[in-house]
Amino acid sequence: FDFFQLSFAATTPELADKKKYPYFFRTVPSDNAVNPAILKLLKYYQWKRVGTLTQDVQRFSEVRNDLTRVLYGEDIEISDTESFLNDPCTSVKKLKGNDVRIILGQFDEEMAVKVFCCAYDEEMYGSKYQWIIPGWYENLWWESWINSSQCLNKNLLAAMEGYIGVDFEPLSSKKTKTISGRTPQQYEKEYNAKRGDGQSSKFHGYAYDGIWVIAQTLQRAMKYLNATNKHQKIEDFNYTNHKLGKIFLDAMNETNFLGVTGQVVFRNGERMGTIKFTQFQERKEVKVGEYNAVADKLEIINNSIRFQGLEPPKDKTIIQEELRKISLPLYSILSALTILGMIMASAFLFFNIKNRNQKLIKMSSPYMNNLIILGGMLSYASIFLFGLDGSFVSEKTFETLCTVRTWILTVGYTTAFGAMFAKTWRVHAIFKNVKMKKKIIKDQKLLVIVGGMLLIDLCILICWQVVDPLRRTVEKYNMEPDPAGRDISIRPILEHCENTHMTIWLGIVYAYKGLLMLFGCFLAWETRNVSIPALNDSKYIGMSVYNVGIMCIIGAAVSFLTRDQPNVQFCIVALVIIFCSTITLCLVFVPKLITLRTNPDAATQNRRFQFTQNQKKEDSKTSTSVTSVNQASTSRLEGLQSENHRLRMKITELDKDLEEVTMQLQDTPEKTTYIKQNHYQDLNDILSIRNFTDSKDGEKAILKNHLDQNPPAQWGSSDPSRTSKDPIEDINSPEHIQRRLSLQLPILHHAYLPSIGGVDASCASPCVSPSASPRHRHVPPSFRVMVSGL
């Protein structure tokens, strides 16, 4: 049947289906009419990401589906679509989990109370969220349903504060006369006067405009019939007259006039009306804007919308990536400390070069010392590179710095400790290897050793760079709230120098450095007993290895644990490098500087032959103080000093006797018929003093063997009758003895006395008088010899 229907209150979207209801019209906008208005509002505030929460009822589901169609293609993302039947809390929680800030709700008053209670529990209200819900609820609608929820009234109102309601406008706000000759305000006043105390309906304006729609339709149909077909009149209408029905349908679609509800226009039977926006402010709804569907125009009343924050909420959590960079004051402080360390290293270099010809510095390998300083300065320089991050340099430059700082630190470490261990190896080779005792190990060979260590480093670093180079990587951390209180979240990012197999390469480098440190410890232990201070750095090497090893282990562990805190990590790395470099340089050079200023000769002498002078009494009695390696007790030291003094005096007396005998044998050999037997006893006494001259054991053995072969028993008897015996029996005659002593005593005197201060070992002739040697002079009583080995 061509039966026309016109409704002033039916808003269900289902009636908009023209296939099912081709002759249905309504003067009130449908529930779907709010969707274009919502789209306009979203664009106005530039909200491009929303979520929907729908009560699982057909009326609301249809509105949601139409909204999805409207938003599709408008560059607005529906990030989450949730629906519920009775309990909305799970859906609300999911919306929060998906970071939905703009929520488009479709539910009735009862469910609305539950929704806002759940929103309060999930803290989905306030300055970060905006709720947009139907605006057709009754006045004070929440009071009717508050008892059905477990939410306190104040909590519910707190969550509701600021929501925006969307609904059609009951009466136009324009003060323009309508088709009836009245303004909407005049009409409302007359309507209220006539209804009296009766209940008001928000649809009365649409009913009034509906009457005018019917009148306008009939009038246009009559004009059309009069103009086209004079034989057919409107009174001839029936429900089977399709031709007349088509005339009425066209006349209805042509409706266009200004009514009390606004411009009355139909599009596919749907009223293109005015949509109003209200906002819940301080327990009441306030109109904040309206949307004219005919003109497709949104009008927001000035300063009427109140957002909970300083600005409209964001449609999502604004994530602002923030590079965690090294603090400039911290970088400045550590750079200043590094510069001081480099100045100190430069001072040591100047000291080493200036005093390179001093015996103390010369014996400690000045070229190797220069390499130690160079390695320390390279390590210092790497600190400047470790502090440069994305806040100072570009990404490409940072990637280059990743490689450069690794190379500098690695080469600096090997140069410093390689040079230190190389010169220690030379001491070890000289004092521990008998075969090399008379060989000279020059600095060129030590440079080759250091170069070999550096070559291994370069091989590792080149392979690392070619196979798996270091790259700039960015690590993102969990979001943090903005310290300034803005509606944004800070996502810290941190730059790292990494590659695919970082652990393997670091393991190779650490293993090589560890072996180098173990080798240094071995050399330090082997040379610990070398008695020349200028050569023996074993104690300082041990201290350097200990400090560097401990600090590196602690620094590496702390640096790994604080990799998300660049300031702490840089501070730890810089302090470890500064400490290790400084302590190494100080342990190598400060003792030399002190010794060179206080007692430069003592450090170059063997501690077993050092003399110390201390005037004790006016009668020229002397005392000797010697510092023992093991810090022997004072009583034992005094006893050994006294014994040492007594033995030296006896040696001096024996020297005099030997000189007299020698002179007698050289000057008047024919007059000497015998030698006192106790002279041999005195020589045996000399041989018994072996604890003081351990380096001359071989020479003492020669002397003792010689005396064993020539026993003194024949010296006391001189029998002329023995001269007639065979030559073998006359070898002990006084004549033979006189000849032997004239040759043997000077030889023995020459071979033995250098170890106790006698003639110089470089004397060319054993027959020269001992008194001619400068070392054979009588030692003044104010000096005594004390062997440090005691």
Side-chain angles (χ1 to χ4, degrees):
F1 298 99
D2 296 331
F3 182 75
F4 289 91
Q5 294 176 319
L6 179 65
S7 173
F8 62 89
T11 60
T12 176
E14 186 178 2
L15 297 175
D17 187 357
K18 291 305 173 183
K19 292 182 179 180
K20 293 183 179 180
Y21 312 102
Y23 300 106
F24 177 80
F25 290 82
R26 49 187 165 191
T27 55
V28 62
S30 71
D31 293 335
N32 287 344
V34 301
N35 292 333
I38 292 175
L39 172 63
K40 208 69 175 181
L41 182 68
L42 296 177
K43 288 184 176 181
Y44 182 84
Y45 288 107
Q46 298 181 353
W47 290 328
K48 297 183 179 181
R49 186 174 182 272
V50 300
T52 61
L53 181 62
T54 308
Q55 184 179 354
D56 198 5
V57 176
Q58 182 178 2
R59 172 186 178 184
F60 302 119
S61 299
E62 290 179 353
V63 176
R64 189 267 316 278
N65 295 337
D66 183 73
L67 177 64
T68 302
R69 180 187 60 80
V70 170
L71 298 181
Y72 182 77
E74 295 291 340
D75 196 24
I76 296 178
E77 173 192 358
I78 301 179
S79 59
D80 192 12
T81 300
E82 297 293 335
S83 61
F84 65 93
L85 186 60
N86 293 316
D87 184 11
C89 290
T90 302
S91 298
V92 171
K93 190 173 183 179
K94 289 182 179 179
L95 290 173
K96 182 180 180 180
N98 290 325
D99 191 34
V100 175
R101 298 290 196 89
I102 311 301
I103 304 101
L104 308 179
Q106 288 291 331
F107 34 76
D108 57 26
E109 295 97 325
E110 180 182 4
M111 292 296 107
V113 172
K114 295 182 179 181
V115 167
F116 283 112
C117 285
C118 296
Y120 180 84
D121 294 337
E122 296 295 333
E123 298 182 350
M124 290 184 65
Y125 64 95
S127 61
K128 295 182 179 181
Y129 296 91
Q130 183 60 61
W131 289 84
I132 301 176
I133 63 174
W136 43 261
Y137 299 161
E138 297 291 337
N139 191 29
L140 302 177
W141 55 269
W142 65 90
E143 293 182 353
S144 302
W145 303 99
I146 186 65
N147 295 328
S148 63
S149 67
Q150 298 179 353
C151 188
L152 297 178
N153 187 56
K154 63 177 183 178
N155 296 341
L156 177 62
L157 293 176
M160 290 168 53
E161 185 67 25
Y163 79 75
I164 295 177
V166 187
D167 193 18
F168 56 83
E169 182 74 272
L171 292 175
S172 175
S173 59
K174 307 296 183 182
K175 296 181 180 181
T176 306
K177 288 186 178 182
T178 64
I179 191 172
S180 64
R182 303 180 182 88
T183 63
Q185 292 77 21
Q186 291 174 342
Y187 160 78
E188 185 178 19
K189 183 178 180 181
E190 184 177 352
Y191 170 77
N192 290 333
K194 290 185 177 181
R195 74 179 176 86
D197 296 334
Q199 185 177 4
S200 174
S201 172
K202 66 177 182 178
F203 297 104
H204 63 84
Y206 293 99
Y208 182 75
D209 286 339
I211 299 300
W212 281 100
V213 169
I214 294 174
Q216 288 284 312
T217 300
L218 292 175
Q219 186 179 12
R220 281 192 295 275
M222 291 174 61
K223 288 182 179 181
Y224 179 81
L225 291 174
N226 291 334
T228 58
N229 192 350
K230 297 181 179 180
H231 301 287
Q232 191 173 12
K233 298 180 179 180
I234 195 171
E235 290 85 355
D236 298 333
F237 173 78
N238 58 59
Y239 297 114
T240 59
N241 190 340
H242 296 286
K243 184 176 180 180
L244 193 56
K246 182 68 169 57
I247 294 174
F248 280 120
L249 180 62
D250 293 339
M252 185 76 76
N253 285 324
E254 293 176 0
T255 301
N256 189 354
F257 66 89
L258 182 61
V260 294
T261 58
Q263 195 73 24
V264 180
V265 178
F266 295 106
R267 183 178 297 171
N268 293 327
E270 294 294 314
R271 166 73 186 273
M272 304 297 294
T274 302
I275 305 298
K276 70 172 181 176
F277 293 95
T278 59
Q279 187 178 37
F280 188 77
Q281 300 176 2
E282 298 178 356
R283 305 188 64 173
K284 61 180 180 181
E285 291 186 344
V286 179
K287 182 179 179 180
V288 295
E290 65 179 28
Y291 168 73
N292 189 334
V294 177
D296 191 23
K297 181 180 179 180
L298 175 65
E299 181 181 354
I300 300 295
I301 301 174
N302 294 333
N303 301 323
S304 57
I305 293 185
R306 298 179 185 176
F307 294 107
Q308 302 298 304
L310 300 176
E311 57 184 358
K314 307 297 181 181
D315 57 3
K316 61 181 178 180
T317 300
I318 302 300
I319 302 175
Q320 181 176 335
E321 291 187 347
E322 184 177 273
L323 177 64
R324 284 186 173 176
K325 54 187 179 181
I326 296 173
S327 172
L328 183 59
L330 177 64
Y331 181 75
S332 301
I333 293 172
L334 293 176
S335 296
L337 292 177
T338 303
I339 293 173
L340 292 177
M342 298 183 76
I343 293 174
M344 180 196 68
S346 301
F348 287 149
L349 181 62
F350 175 77
F351 164 79
N352 192 67
I353 295 175
K354 181 180 179 182
N355 299 281
R356 63 185 181 277
N357 293 324
Q358 292 284 343
K359 193 173 183 180
L360 172 64
I361 303 301
K362 197 170 185 179
M363 292 181 67
S364 65
S365 303
Y367 292 111
M368 295 296 102
N369 292 341
N370 291 341
L371 287 181
I372 294 174
I373 296 172
L374 176 62
M377 296 188 74
L378 287 175
S379 300
Y380 281 129
S382 66
I383 296 176
F384 296 111
L385 303 182
F386 275 104
L388 296 177
D389 54 17
S391 60
F392 297 100
V393 297
S394 63
E395 295 181 4
K396 186 176 181 180
T397 305
F398 179 83
E399 191 166 289
T400 303
L401 290 177
C402 289
T403 302
V404 173
R405 69 191 189 187
T406 303
W407 282 56
I408 290 179
L409 182 59
T410 304
V411 171
Y413 177 93
T414 303
T415 302
F417 283 93
M420 185 187 301
F421 298 156
K423 71 175 188 175
T424 307
W425 170 83
R426 176 163 62 183
V427 176
H428 174 268
I430 293 174
F431 285 89
K432 294 296 180 180
N433 193 339
V434 178
K435 295 181 180 180
M436 298 180 63
K437 193 168 185 179
K438 294 183 180 180
K439 292 184 179 180
I440 299 176
I441 302 176
K442 297 184 178 180
D443 287 342
Q444 288 80 353
K445 188 169 185 178
L446 302 185
L447 291 174
V448 172
I449 294 175
V450 177
M453 296 179 183
L454 290 175
L455 183 62
I456 297 175
D457 263 337
L458 292 178
C459 292
I460 296 174
L461 293 174
I462 291 174
C463 292
W464 189 349
Q465 183 65 24
V466 173
V467 177
D468 192 12
L470 289 171
R471 302 292 184 186
R472 174 185 177 271
T473 60
V474 176
E475 184 178 2
K476 297 183 178 181
Y477 295 89
N478 295 329
M479 292 184 294
E480 300 175 354
D482 180 39
R486 297 174 297 174
D487 186 19
I488 61 175
S489 293
I490 305 298
R491 183 186 293 279
I493 63 173
L494 190 59
E495 294 175 312
H496 295 294
C497 293
E498 294 180 345
N499 52 15
T500 307
H501 305 288
M502 189 72 174
T503 305
I504 296 176
W505 293 109
L506 288 179
I508 294 173
V509 173
Y510 290 159
Y512 172 56
K513 302 302 179 185
L515 291 175
L516 188 62
M517 298 289 278
L518 290 177
F519 178 65
C521 292
F522 167 76
L523 293 177
W525 176 260
E526 287 291 309
T527 60
R528 68 190 185 281
N529 292 325
V530 174
S531 57
I532 302 176
L535 299 177
N536 188 3
D537 288 334
S538 61
K539 179 174 67 174
Y540 304 125
I541 293 175
M543 294 174 64
S544 296
V545 171
Y546 174 79
N547 286 284
V548 171
I550 294 298
M551 291 301 298
C552 288
I553 293 174
I554 296 175
V558 176
S559 177
F560 177 79
L561 295 176
T562 59
R563 59 177 288 140
D564 59 337
Q565 304 177 44
N567 286 322
V568 177
Q569 186 181 44
F570 172 65
C571 184
I572 294 298
V573 171
L575 290 178
V576 167
I577 295 176
I578 292 173
F579 177 83
C580 293
S581 301
T582 303
I583 199 68
T584 300
L585 293 176
C586 289
L587 286 173
V588 172
F589 290 98
V590 170
K592 293 179 175 55
L593 191 148
I594 295 174
T595 303
L596 191 63
R597 288 183 175 273
T598 56
N599 190 10
D601 295 330
T604 60
Q605 297 175 357
N606 193 313
R607 282 194 294 263
R608 300 186 183 187
F609 303 103
Q610 289 183 358
F611 295 91
T612 60
Q613 180 179 0
N614 183 18
Q615 186 68 28
K616 235 179 177 185
K617 296 182 181 180
E618 296 180 357
D619 58 357
S620 300
K621 293 184 178 180
T622 61
S623 64
T624 304
S625 73
V626 176
T627 304
S628 174
V629 176
N630 297 322
Q631 298 295 325
S633 63
T634 303
S635 60
R636 176 175 173 79
L637 180 60
E638 291 178 353
L640 292 175
Q641 289 175 342
S642 177
E643 180 68 15
N644 188 22
H645 179 70
R646 185 185 66 80
L647 292 175
R648 290 195 71 256
M649 293 298 100
K650 188 172 183 178
I651 290 173
T652 303
E653 294 174 359
L654 294 175
D655 286 343
K656 291 180 181 181
D657 293 340
L658 286 173
E659 290 178 8
E660 292 176 0
V661 172
T662 303
M663 294 301 296
Q664 291 175 4
L665 291 175
Q666 290 178 350
D667 295 339
T668 58
E670 68 282 354
K671 298 178 182 179
T672 305
T673 59
Y674 69 97
I675 297 176
K676 295 180 180 179
Q677 185 175 352
N678 60 354
H679 285 175
Y680 269 95
Q681 183 63 33
D682 293 338
L683 288 176
N684 288 330
D685 292 340
I686 294 174
L687 293 176
S688 64
I689 310 172
R690 61 180 59 193
N691 291 331
F692 302 98
T693 56
D694 53 353
S695 63
K696 301 295 182 176
D697 289 342
E699 294 160 340
K700 289 191 292 185
I702 294 172
L703 178 60
K704 188 167 184 62
N705 291 334
H706 177 77
L707 295 178
D708 290 341
Q709 294 173 3
N710 300 277
Q714 308 295 329
W715 286 64
S717 60
S718 178
D719 189 0
S721 65
R722 293 176 63 96
T723 58
S724 63
K725 294 182 179 180
D726 59 271
I728 297 177
E729 295 179 356
D730 294 339
I731 61 175
N732 290 327
S733 63
E735 292 81 4
H736 285 83
I737 292 175
Q738 181 178 353
R739 294 191 191 96
R740 286 200 304 270
L741 287 177
S742 65
L743 296 175
Q744 292 172 353
L745 284 177
I747 293 173
L748 293 175
H749 185 268
H750 173 81
Y752 176 69
L753 289 182
S755 65
I756 58 173
V759 296
D760 196 338
S762 62
C763 181
S765 176
C767 299
V768 179
S769 175
S771 61
S773 175
R775 295 184 60 185
H776 191 63
R777 299 185 187 129
H778 181 65
V779 181
S782 60
F783 292 87
R784 290 189 295 168
V785 176
M786 183 65 185
V787 181
S788 63
L790 293 176

